[in-house]
Amino acid sequence: ETGVTQTPRHLVMGMTNKKSLKCEQHLGHNAMYWYKQSAKKPLELMFVYNFKEQTENNSVPSRFSPECPNSSHLFLHLHTLQPEDSALYLCASSQGQSSQLAETQYFGPGTRLLVL
Amino acid sequence: QKEVEQNSGPLSVPEGAIASLNCTYSDRGSQSFFWYRQYSGKSPELIMSIYSNGDKEDGRFTAQLNKASQYVSLLIRDSQPSDSATYLCAVNPNSGNTPLVFGKGTRLSVIA
């Protein structure tokens, strides 16, 4: 266990549904990340939050909406998704300070999403 | 654009052999380098980090860094079938909290 949890672990949703993915880290970190990993494709960084402020939005469609209420929790709200959005969604966290040791990212187990 | 390049593989090695995984990066100012292992259907797991030129050993794993050549590698000695996974190279382009840039990963298959 890395100290980063994600729920749900699996999700099936229709294109008209609204759902949310949740990530929680118990490491005392200040930076949290959402990644998308599609089959046979590399990790794609979606969003970065550092000290609850969004510092990066990697040209992600607006049907994905992140929320970071505090340094320990990160949500990804989903609405009107497309079948091509089916993927493994990974949350990660890091210390979030200017230190070499702080840059290591620890990943949660991921949410496997299927959009029908 | 900052890039991290890896051979996608698959790299097949017999059990007990040394597996050598390679990674090159484009940003000469990169400071921190990481190797993650990802089993099929699972999330990436940190194996090694390296910050200075040279070798860093941890059990059967050795990370090698050559900043002049912009090259980082991972050696796995006495490879086991349980080492079969995709290995992701990640580079932090600058010190501080810049997001990591990940390579596409190399799939390793250790044949018993």
Side-chain angles (χ1 to χ4, degrees), chain A residues 2 6 16-17 19 21 23 26 43 52 55 78 94:
Chain A
T2 62
Q6 290 186 244
T16 59
N17 291 159
K19 297 287 184 183
L21 309 184
C23 176
H26 309 275
L43 281 171
K52 300 188 297 179
T55 59
L78 316 172
S94 70

Side-chain angles (χ1 to χ4, degrees), chain A residues 2-55:
Chain A
T2 62
V4 182
T5 59
Q6 290 186 244
T7 54
R9 295 291 303 273
H10 300 272
L11 178 62
V12 180
M13 60 187 290
M15 288 189 285
T16 59
N17 291 159
K18 288 185 179 181
K19 297 287 184 183
S20 295
L21 309 184
K22 179 182 176 182
C23 176
E24 184 173 359
Q25 56 93 2
H26 309 275
L27 300 169
H29 288 168
N30 295 296
M32 298 186 77
Y33 310 76
W34 279 118
Y35 288 88
K36 174 185 177 183
Q37 190 175 40
S38 303
K40 300 188 186 301
K41 290 187 178 180
L43 281 171
E44 299 175 50
L45 179 65
M46 300 176 72
F47 300 104
V48 181
Y49 278 83
N50 194 12
F51 291 89
K52 300 188 297 179
E53 297 295 323
Q54 184 174 306
T55 59

